[in-house]
Amino acid sequence: MGIQIDLDRCIGCGDCVPSCPLALIEIIDEKAHINEGCTFCGACQEACEYDAILIEAVTETAAISDSHHGIWVFAEQRDSKLKSVGYELLAKGRQLADTLDTELCAICFGHNIKEVEQLIAYGADKVYLIDNPALANNQEELYTRGLVKLIQQYRPEIVVAGATSLGRSFIPRVAAILRTGLTADCTGLEVDDETRLLLQTRPTFGGNIMATIICQTKRPQMSTVRPRVFKKGIPDNQRKGQIIKEGRI
Ligand code: SF4
Ligand code: SF4
């Protein structure tokens, strides 16, 4: 993140000076000058009628997004049967992926999982599957390792999982290892198609306020979503997609 004065636009009027809560702005040689310590609050930018103050958050976000592609949905299974929350998230993920013109992938860990191809029927373009007897019983350590490895390899821009007991347990570990942001227990997800930011809505202050949270400078953007927040789509068994079997964890 950065802040700059466009010297061609700045006329040295000084209107921005009192707007800074940290008193960082001086007029030197008839141009605004910003001293160290800026928190990028944007108050001076709003005060300037000449669009002479540039805060570079969006540029940085776009640069980060350029190196990450695709929306991932973690499709959880129990006893080798895919859980409904994965299909619900695919319905929302399909909508978000179409808005961003990117691919939607399902991530599936387990052993002898039934009906993996249904993830494609419910909207996934690709399924990354790790089939291993050690993964049959939702081993959180192995799931963490497996998902971190795949994210580092394929660099998705968004990763969404169910806010189930498994998701609440291992997804925060994944986010911590990757040093990225996670919004837990979301009740709404949308995307801004210009900035490619995920707009993650969840209740806060004891449920009295709905907050929309963004993760501006880290990737992937990660969320967990409560089961039954989104509705399952209608499966299309004619949809084509790829099932990619990944090797060892
Ligand atoms: S308000 Fe804008 S034009 Fe005026 S001094 Fe500040 S940056 Fe320059
Ligand atoms: S962005 Fe905020 S902290 Fe930074 S110079 Fe402007 S008003 Fe001050």
Side-chain angles (χ1 to χ4, degrees):
M1 210 150 179
I3 187 165
Q4 283 184 332
I5 302 294
D6 182 335
L7 297 177
D8 291 333
R9 288 174 179 254
C10 177
I11 62 162
C13 67
D15 287 354
C16 55
V17 173
S19 71
C20 180
L22 302 176
L24 298 177
I25 308 176
E26 296 177 82
I27 304 297
I28 300 174
D29 294 336
E30 298 185 347
K31 300 288 179 189
H33 174 82
I34 297 175
N35 291 308
E36 281 187 22
C38 176
T39 58
F40 312 108
C41 70
C44 57
Q45 195 175 38
E46 278 186 28
C48 177
E49 290 180 12
Y50 301 91
D51 294 332
I53 300 179
L54 310 172
I55 296 178
E56 294 173 342
V58 171
T59 306
E60 187 175 331
T61 300
I64 293 167
S65 291
D66 279 351
S67 62
H68 292 73
H69 298 281
I71 296 178
W72 283 15
V73 166
F74 183 77
E76 189 176 332
Q77 57 80 30
R78 181 179 283 266
D79 299 329
S80 300
K81 190 168 179 296
L82 291 164
K83 293 181 94 172
S84 182
V85 66
Y87 295 125
E88 294 160 17
L89 295 178
L90 282 174
K92 174 51 87 171
R94 185 70 265 160
Q95 181 194 328
L96 302 181
D98 289 344
T99 303
L100 294 180
D101 193 21
T102 193
E103 65 182 12
L104 176 65
C105 304
I107 312 303
C108 200
F109 297 165
H111 185 48
N112 291 334
I113 303 165
K114 299 178 185 79
E115 301 185 336
V116 172
E117 63 286 348
Q118 280 298 291
L119 296 169
I120 292 169
Y122 275 92
D125 300 307
K126 289 179 186 165
V127 178
Y128 291 107
L129 172 66
I130 303 184
D131 186 313
N132 186 317
L135 295 172
N137 295 319
N138 293 344
Q139 299 284 341
E140 290 158 16
E141 292 294 335
L142 293 178
Y143 275 44
T144 302
R145 199 191 312 164
L147 189 53
V148 166
K149 186 180 148 200
L150 288 182
I151 290 172
Q152 287 174 331
Q153 184 175 351
Y154 293 106
R155 301 167 71 84
E157 57 186 315
I158 292 170
V159 176
V160 183
T164 59
S165 53
L166 174 69
R168 285 180 171 146
S169 168
F170 95 101
I171 292 292
R173 301 184 201 192
V174 172
I177 291 169
L178 296 171
R179 296 179 182 272
T180 190
L182 166 68
T183 305
D185 288 349
C186 291
T187 54
L189 294 178
E190 296 298 335
V191 283
D192 181 320
D193 58 353
E194 283 187 17
T195 61
R196 302 184 77 82
L197 287 171
L198 181 64
L199 310 176
Q200 306 159 96
T201 302
R202 57 152 297 152
T204 188
F205 287 108
N208 293 324
I209 296 176
M210 299 302 283
T212 297
I213 296 164
I214 59 171
C215 176
Q216 199 158 32
T217 59
K218 299 286 183 180
R219 293 294 176 274
Q221 303 162 88
M222 296 185 68
S223 300
T224 59
V225 178
R226 297 174 186 181
R228 292 178 293 283
V229 165
F230 302 127
K231 283 194 181 142
K232 265 166 96 166
I234 297 168
D236 173 1
N237 291 318
Q238 306 306 314
R239 278 194 92 247
K240 299 280 182 245
Q242 269 181 290
I243 296 178
I244 299 160
K245 293 188 177 164
E246 292 290 329
R248 288 187 299 129
I249 306 164

mmCIF file of all heavy atoms in Angstrom, residues 63-86:
data_model
loop_
_atom_site.group_PDB
_atom_site.id
_atom_site.type_symbol
_atom_site.label_atom_id
_atom_site.label_comp_id
_atom_site.label_asym_id
_atom_site.label_seq_id
_atom_site.Cartn_x
_atom_site.Cartn_y
_atom_site.Cartn_z
ATOM 1 N N ALA A 63 -2.597 -6.310 -8.725
ATOM 2 C CA ALA A 63 -1.347 -7.019 -8.997
ATOM 3 C C ALA A 63 -1.342 -8.377 -8.317
ATOM 4 O O ALA A 63 -0.923 -9.377 -8.891
ATOM 5 C CB ALA A 63 -0.169 -6.182 -8.515
ATOM 6 N N ILE A 64 -1.843 -8.422 -7.081
ATOM 7 C CA ILE A 64 -1.898 -9.698 -6.367
ATOM 8 C C ILE A 64 -2.846 -10.641 -7.089
ATOM 9 O O ILE A 64 -2.557 -11.806 -7.304
ATOM 10 C CB ILE A 64 -2.371 -9.475 -4.917
ATOM 11 C CG1 ILE A 64 -1.326 -8.688 -4.148
ATOM 12 C CG2 ILE A 64 -2.637 -10.806 -4.226
ATOM 13 C CD1 ILE A 64 -1.837 -8.163 -2.845
ATOM 14 N N SER A 65 -4.018 -10.096 -7.491
ATOM 15 C CA SER A 65 -5.014 -10.945 -8.138
ATOM 16 C C SER A 65 -4.504 -11.507 -9.451
ATOM 17 O O SER A 65 -4.877 -12.601 -9.854
ATOM 18 C CB SER A 65 -6.301 -10.151 -8.375
ATOM 19 O OG SER A 65 -6.904 -9.872 -7.138
ATOM 20 N N ASP A 66 -3.634 -10.752 -10.132
ATOM 21 C CA ASP A 66 -3.109 -11.227 -11.410
ATOM 22 C C ASP A 66 -2.366 -12.549 -11.274
ATOM 23 O O ASP A 66 -2.289 -13.318 -12.223
ATOM 24 C CB ASP A 66 -2.144 -10.189 -12.000
ATOM 25 C CG ASP A 66 -2.914 -9.081 -12.685
ATOM 26 O OD1 ASP A 66 -4.138 -9.225 -12.830
ATOM 27 O OD2 ASP A 66 -2.287 -8.077 -13.053
ATOM 28 N N SER A 67 -1.771 -12.794 -10.108
ATOM 29 C CA SER A 67 -0.975 -14.011 -9.956
ATOM 30 C C SER A 67 -1.771 -15.152 -9.316
ATOM 31 O O SER A 67 -1.215 -16.195 -9.025
ATOM 32 C CB SER A 67 0.277 -13.714 -9.125
ATOM 33 O OG SER A 67 -0.108 -13.298 -7.844
ATOM 34 N N HIS A 68 -3.050 -14.947 -9.073
ATOM 35 C CA HIS A 68 -3.896 -15.989 -8.485
ATOM 36 C C HIS A 68 -5.171 -16.112 -9.321
ATOM 37 O O HIS A 68 -5.758 -15.093 -9.690
ATOM 38 C CB HIS A 68 -4.270 -15.641 -7.038
ATOM 39 C CG HIS A 68 -3.101 -15.675 -6.098
ATOM 40 N ND1 HIS A 68 -2.125 -14.716 -6.102
ATOM 41 C CD2 HIS A 68 -2.759 -16.562 -5.141
ATOM 42 C CE1 HIS A 68 -1.223 -15.021 -5.174
ATOM 43 N NE2 HIS A 68 -1.585 -16.128 -4.581
ATOM 44 N N HIS A 69 -5.572 -17.342 -9.574
ATOM 45 C CA HIS A 69 -6.731 -17.543 -10.445
ATOM 46 C C HIS A 69 -7.629 -18.639 -9.897
ATOM 47 O O HIS A 69 -7.146 -19.647 -9.394
ATOM 48 C CB HIS A 69 -6.279 -17.947 -11.856
ATOM 49 C CG HIS A 69 -5.456 -16.893 -12.516
ATOM 50 N ND1 HIS A 69 -6.005 -15.774 -13.091
ATOM 51 C CD2 HIS A 69 -4.119 -16.769 -12.649
ATOM 52 C CE1 HIS A 69 -5.033 -15.010 -13.557
ATOM 53 N NE2 HIS A 69 -3.879 -15.595 -13.306
ATOM 54 N N GLY A 70 -8.919 -18.436 -10.041
ATOM 55 C CA GLY A 70 -9.876 -19.492 -9.755
ATOM 56 C C GLY A 70 -10.477 -19.413 -8.364
ATOM 57 O O GLY A 70 -9.893 -18.860 -7.436
ATOM 58 N N ILE A 71 -11.675 -19.956 -8.285
ATOM 59 C CA ILE A 71 -12.384 -20.052 -7.003
ATOM 60 C C ILE A 71 -12.426 -21.522 -6.616
ATOM 61 O O ILE A 71 -12.773 -22.373 -7.442
ATOM 62 C CB ILE A 71 -13.809 -19.477 -7.139
ATOM 63 C CG1 ILE A 71 -13.726 -17.980 -7.473
ATOM 64 C CG2 ILE A 71 -14.616 -19.718 -5.867
ATOM 65 C CD1 ILE A 71 -15.064 -17.324 -7.672
ATOM 66 N N TRP A 72 -12.064 -21.797 -5.379
ATOM 67 C CA TRP A 72 -12.060 -23.176 -4.891
ATOM 68 C C TRP A 72 -13.120 -23.360 -3.812
ATOM 69 O O TRP A 72 -13.274 -22.507 -2.926
ATOM 70 C CB TRP A 72 -10.700 -23.522 -4.278
ATOM 71 C CG TRP A 72 -9.618 -23.802 -5.282
ATOM 72 C CD1 TRP A 72 -9.625 -23.505 -6.621
ATOM 73 C CD2 TRP A 72 -8.357 -24.432 -5.011
ATOM 74 N NE1 TRP A 72 -8.447 -23.913 -7.193
ATOM 75 C CE2 TRP A 72 -7.658 -24.479 -6.234
ATOM 76 C CE3 TRP A 72 -7.771 -24.941 -3.870
ATOM 77 C CZ2 TRP A 72 -6.381 -25.035 -6.333
ATOM 78 C CZ3 TRP A 72 -6.498 -25.495 -3.960
ATOM 79 C CH2 TRP A 72 -5.820 -25.545 -5.187
ATOM 80 N N VAL A 73 -13.787 -24.509 -3.910
ATOM 81 C CA VAL A 73 -14.746 -24.914 -2.880
ATOM 82 C C VAL A 73 -14.244 -26.226 -2.284
ATOM 83 O O VAL A 73 -13.979 -27.184 -3.022
ATOM 84 C CB VAL A 73 -16.147 -25.111 -3.495
ATOM 85 C CG1 VAL A 73 -17.062 -25.840 -2.526
ATOM 86 C CG2 VAL A 73 -16.747 -23.764 -3.893
ATOM 87 N N PHE A 74 -14.087 -26.246 -0.971
ATOM 88 C CA PHE A 74 -13.704 -27.501 -0.329
ATOM 89 C C PHE A 74 -14.961 -28.347 -0.159
ATOM 90 O O PHE A 74 -15.914 -27.939 0.514
ATOM 91 C CB PHE A 74 -13.038 -27.247 1.028
ATOM 92 C CG PHE A 74 -12.569 -28.525 1.654
ATOM 93 C CD1 PHE A 74 -11.408 -29.140 1.208
ATOM 94 C CD2 PHE A 74 -13.309 -29.144 2.645
ATOM 95 C CE1 PHE A 74 -10.988 -30.345 1.753
ATOM 96 C CE2 PHE A 74 -12.896 -30.344 3.199
ATOM 97 C CZ PHE A 74 -11.733 -30.946 2.750
ATOM 98 N N ALA A 75 -14.961 -29.518 -0.807
ATOM 99 C CA ALA A 75 -16.133 -30.401 -0.791
ATOM 100 C C ALA A 75 -15.886 -31.496 0.246
ATOM 101 O O ALA A 75 -15.149 -32.449 0.000
ATOM 102 C CB ALA A 75 -16.356 -30.991 -2.177
ATOM 103 N N GLU A 76 -16.510 -31.330 1.375
ATOM 104 C CA GLU A 76 -16.260 -32.229 2.511
ATOM 105 C C GLU A 76 -17.026 -33.539 2.340
ATOM 106 O O GLU A 76 -18.129 -33.556 1.788
ATOM 107 C CB GLU A 76 -16.739 -31.495 3.774
ATOM 108 C CG GLU A 76 -16.377 -32.161 5.053
ATOM 109 C CD GLU A 76 -16.818 -31.312 6.253
ATOM 110 O OE1 GLU A 76 -16.892 -30.065 6.130
ATOM 111 O OE2 GLU A 76 -17.091 -31.904 7.303
ATOM 112 N N GLN A 77 -16.432 -34.627 2.823
ATOM 113 C CA GLN A 77 -17.121 -35.925 2.808
ATOM 114 C C GLN A 77 -17.130 -36.521 4.208
ATOM 115 O O GLN A 77 -16.317 -36.164 5.057
ATOM 116 C CB GLN A 77 -16.437 -36.878 1.826
ATOM 117 C CG GLN A 77 -14.957 -37.131 2.063
ATOM 118 C CD GLN A 77 -14.626 -38.147 3.151
ATOM 119 O OE1 GLN A 77 -15.401 -39.079 3.392
ATOM 120 N NE2 GLN A 77 -13.487 -37.963 3.814
ATOM 121 N N ARG A 78 -18.059 -37.371 4.418
ATOM 122 C CA ARG A 78 -18.067 -38.185 5.640
ATOM 123 C C ARG A 78 -18.489 -39.589 5.244
ATOM 124 O O ARG A 78 -19.452 -39.751 4.487
ATOM 125 C CB ARG A 78 -19.042 -37.612 6.672
ATOM 126 C CG ARG A 78 -19.071 -38.428 7.971
ATOM 127 C CD ARG A 78 -20.021 -37.803 8.958
ATOM 128 N NE ARG A 78 -19.438 -36.625 9.584
ATOM 129 C CZ ARG A 78 -18.792 -36.636 10.747
ATOM 130 N NH1 ARG A 78 -18.652 -37.755 11.406
ATOM 131 N NH2 ARG A 78 -18.304 -35.542 11.256
ATOM 132 N N ASP A 79 -17.750 -40.575 5.721
ATOM 133 C CA ASP A 79 -18.016 -41.974 5.345
ATOM 134 C C ASP A 79 -18.065 -42.130 3.827
ATOM 135 O O ASP A 79 -18.950 -42.802 3.277
ATOM 136 C CB ASP A 79 -19.324 -42.466 5.977
ATOM 137 C CG ASP A 79 -19.266 -42.417 7.492
ATOM 138 O OD1 ASP A 79 -18.155 -42.597 8.040
ATOM 139 O OD2 ASP A 79 -20.309 -42.173 8.116
ATOM 140 N N SER A 80 -17.164 -41.417 3.142
ATOM 141 C CA SER A 80 -17.016 -41.479 1.677
ATOM 142 C C SER A 80 -18.203 -40.886 0.924
ATOM 143 O O SER A 80 -18.320 -41.064 -0.289
ATOM 144 C CB SER A 80 -16.783 -42.923 1.199
ATOM 145 O OG SER A 80 -15.604 -43.423 1.782
ATOM 146 N N LYS A 81 -19.080 -40.178 1.613
ATOM 147 C CA LYS A 81 -20.240 -39.563 0.954
ATOM 148 C C LYS A 81 -20.099 -38.041 1.049
ATOM 149 O O LYS A 81 -19.842 -37.506 2.141
ATOM 150 C CB LYS A 81 -21.518 -40.022 1.666
ATOM 151 C CG LYS A 81 -22.774 -39.651 0.950
ATOM 152 C CD LYS A 81 -23.971 -40.389 1.571
ATOM 153 C CE LYS A 81 -25.271 -40.034 0.896
ATOM 154 N NZ LYS A 81 -25.668 -38.674 1.031
ATOM 155 N N LEU A 82 -20.240 -37.369 -0.081
ATOM 156 C CA LEU A 82 -20.080 -35.914 -0.095
ATOM 157 C C LEU A 82 -21.203 -35.241 0.682
ATOM 158 O O LEU A 82 -22.372 -35.624 0.561
ATOM 159 C CB LEU A 82 -20.062 -35.414 -1.543
ATOM 160 C CG LEU A 82 -18.805 -35.830 -2.313
ATOM 161 C CD1 LEU A 82 -19.012 -35.666 -3.811
ATOM 162 C CD2 LEU A 82 -17.605 -35.011 -1.845
ATOM 163 N N LYS A 83 -20.835 -34.215 1.463
ATOM 164 C CA LYS A 83 -21.838 -33.530 2.274
ATOM 165 C C LYS A 83 -22.538 -32.444 1.463
ATOM 166 O O LYS A 83 -21.970 -31.868 0.532
ATOM 167 C CB LYS A 83 -21.167 -32.914 3.507
ATOM 168 C CG LYS A 83 -20.638 -33.969 4.459
ATOM 169 C CD LYS A 83 -19.997 -33.362 5.664
ATOM 170 C CE LYS A 83 -20.969 -33.253 6.799
ATOM 171 N NZ LYS A 83 -20.296 -32.843 8.047
ATOM 172 N N SER A 84 -23.735 -32.135 1.869
ATOM 173 C CA SER A 84 -24.566 -31.176 1.135
ATOM 174 C C SER A 84 -23.931 -29.787 1.071
ATOM 175 O O SER A 84 -24.074 -29.071 0.076
ATOM 176 C CB SER A 84 -25.938 -31.096 1.805
ATOM 177 O OG SER A 84 -26.758 -30.221 1.101
ATOM 178 N N VAL A 85 -23.196 -29.401 2.125
ATOM 179 C CA VAL A 85 -22.652 -28.037 2.151
ATOM 180 C C VAL A 85 -21.722 -27.782 0.966
ATOM 181 O O VAL A 85 -21.661 -26.670 0.438
ATOM 182 C CB VAL A 85 -21.954 -27.748 3.505
ATOM 183 C CG1 VAL A 85 -20.702 -28.600 3.700
ATOM 184 C CG2 VAL A 85 -21.631 -26.269 3.644
ATOM 185 N N GLY A 86 -21.026 -28.810 0.494
ATOM 186 C CA GLY A 86 -20.151 -28.634 -0.667
ATOM 187 C C GLY A 86 -20.951 -28.261 -1.906
ATOM 188 O O GLY A 86 -20.560 -27.382 -2.676
#
